[in-house]
Amino acid sequence: MNLDELVNSVQEPELRERLSHLVGEWKQDDKDVEALAYLISKWHGNVWFQDTEASNKFHSDFHNFKNAAIDNIGGLTLNERLYWFGLFGAWENANETNQQRLRSKLHANA
């Protein structure tokens, strides 16, 4: 499950919209993947899911995403990083300066 799929897995429209907005802002700013993990953790800790099972499932899905995409980011290629974080479109439409910003965001400088 990549980042966009994680966001779309939230069943409650208002919560999904709020998370989508936060993730969209992260995709545009200069903050890295650790900042994203903190952002999502903070969001999840400050929202109220109507269904406890849905909240627990999101927590589990986020934990799995974090382990695969963030904690193990050093073992991923640039293309894998772009996939995990839903940034292929941003990469393809970016100039060299914005591509460098994305490399930094995804810890892919080298």
Side-chain angles (χ1 to χ4, degrees), residues 28-98:
Q28 298 296 315
D29 67 26
D30 293 335
K31 295 176 185 157
D32 67 7
V33 294
E34 284 82 16
L36 173 67
Y38 175 77
L39 177 76
I40 294 174
S41 293
K42 183 177 174 184
W43 172 85
H44 188 241
N46 288 304
V47 297
W48 186 262
F49 281 74
Q50 293 178 7
D51 179 13
T52 301
E53 283 187 38
S55 179
N56 291 341
K57 180 168 181 348
F58 178 83
H59 177 75
S60 176
D61 289 346
F62 172 60
H63 180 75
N64 292 336
F65 168 79
K66 185 176 176 298
N67 283 340
I70 296 174
D71 296 342
N72 295 313
I73 199 164
L76 301 175
T77 66
L78 177 60
N79 281 343
E80 289 170 324
R81 295 170 202 214
L82 292 170
Y83 164 76
W84 276 109
F85 296 95
L87 291 169
F88 270 119
W91 178 265
E92 291 173 355
N93 295 319
N95 60 27
E96 183 59 36
T97 301
N98 285 331

